[in-house]
């Protein structure tokens, strides 16, 4: 029997790639604001900042007696530019999606996790470094990293992992307001992220934090 994996944000870039590559071996439940082009087991199209919808989603899973063997959390948004140039709403959206949605979703889904389930955050090396032109975005990465660490120490019956890639080889930064001017060694491949996820799911990777 295939194991159930819930993945947030599957419509673009690395997250679409992960869902596509895991789809044959797992039942993929996707939560994404935009519908994907993938033939997944189940897809729920909502904005993850609509926190009031979480209870209904979890209730429907409960009614169908669905349990999850893994949750892969990818959903986040960004702003790269001078601190004063973003609208207040942009910063609130970053905090709500990057941090609050993850906290509340895990809280609601905790009772649906099988023993020895895996929670995997696909996050960023930026949560461990300092840079300019991304203050609130970077702050959300710091917050979530420490939340994941605390969660690991509290939910000892499951595995909590965080994968920190560098900039991924996608079109993610094509419309950035700043010139990152990065060399090829500053990028992480989609394949390396997928391999890390598979190693965690198989139980071969035990580390809490994997820097790519």
């Amino acid at each position: 029997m295939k194991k159930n994996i819930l993945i947030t944000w599957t419509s673009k870039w690395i997250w679409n790639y992960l869902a596509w590559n895991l789809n044959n071996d797992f039942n993929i439940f996707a939560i994404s604001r935009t519908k994907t082009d993938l033939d997944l087991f189940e897809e729920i199209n909502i904005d993850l900042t609509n926190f009031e919808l979480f209870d209904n989603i979890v209730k429907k899973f409960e009614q169908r007696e669905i349990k999850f063997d893994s949750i892969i959390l990818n959903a986040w948004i960004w702003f790269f530019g001078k601190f004063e140039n973003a609208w207040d709403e942009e910063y609130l959206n970053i905090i709500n999606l990057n941090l609050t949605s993850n906290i509340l979703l895990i809280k609601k889904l905790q009772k649906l996790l099988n023993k020895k389930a895996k929670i995997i955050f696909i996050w960023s090396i930026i949560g461990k470094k300092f840079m300019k032109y991304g203050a609130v975005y970077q702050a959300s990465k710091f917050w979530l990293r420490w939340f994941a660490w605390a969660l690991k120490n509290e939910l000892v019956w499951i595995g909590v992992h965080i994968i920190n890639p560098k900039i991924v080889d996608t079109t993610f930064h094509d419309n950035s307001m700043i010139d990152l001017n990065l060399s090829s060694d500053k990028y992480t491949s989609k394949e390396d992220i997928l391999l890390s996820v598979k190693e965690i799911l198989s139980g071969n990777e035990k580390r809490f934090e994997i820097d790519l």
Side-chain angles (χ1 to χ4, degrees), residues 95-112:
I95 295 167
N96 283 336
L97 183 60
N98 296 12
L99 180 68
T100 309
S101 72
N102 288 283
I103 293 172
L104 295 181
L105 188 61
I106 291 173
K107 179 177 180 290
K108 304 291 185 182
L109 289 172
Q110 182 182 336
K111 58 188 173 183
L112 301 181

Side-chain angles (χ1 to χ4, degrees), residues 4 7 21 63 65 71 74 78-79 104 108 112 126-127 133-134 136 148-149 155 175 178 205 208:
N4 296 329
I7 305 180
N21 280 277
Q63 289 172 342
E65 299 183 345
I71 304 174
N74 303 294
W78 61 95
F79 173 81
L104 295 181
K108 304 291 185 182
L112 301 181
I126 206 64
Y133 302 130
V136 177
W149 186 279
L155 304 183
N175 295 320
I178 57 173
E205 177 61 79
F208 161 69

Side-chain angles (χ1 to χ4, degrees), residues 79-82 131-134 173-181:
F79 173 81
F80 294 112
K82 291 185 177 179
M131 62 172 283
K132 58 183 180 179
Y133 302 130
H173 286 282
D174 284 3
N175 295 320
S176 178
M177 297 174 65
I178 57 173
D179 183 9
L180 296 171
N181 193 26

Side-chain angles (χ1 to χ4, degrees), residues 77-96 136-137 177:
I77 52 175
W78 61 95
F79 173 81
F80 294 112
K82 291 185 177 179
F83 176 67
E84 64 272 17
N85 286 349
W87 296 101
D88 293 353
E89 290 78 9
E90 288 180 284
Y91 284 149
L92 288 172
N93 284 336
I94 287 173
I95 295 167
N96 283 336
V136 177
Y137 167 70
M177 297 174 65

Side-chain angles (χ1 to χ4, degrees), residues 5 7 13-26 28 72 74 120-122 163-165 168-169 188-202 204-205 210 212:
I5 296 181
I7 305 180
W13 298 313
I14 176 60
W15 313 283
N16 185 273
Y17 176 82
L18 282 177
W20 185 80
N21 280 277
L22 296 173
N23 197 31
N24 286 335
D25 298 321
F26 301 93
I28 302 297
I72 301 176
N74 303 294
I120 305 172
F121 296 92
I122 311 293
I163 297 173
N164 296 317
V168 184
D169 56 351
T188 298
S189 71
K190 300 187 295 292
E191 292 79 9
D192 283 346
I193 297 174
L194 175 64
L195 178 60
S196 292
V197 169
K198 286 184 173 180
E199 287 291 287
I200 291 171
L201 295 175
S202 70
N204 293 329
E205 177 61 79
I210 301 101
L212 298 177

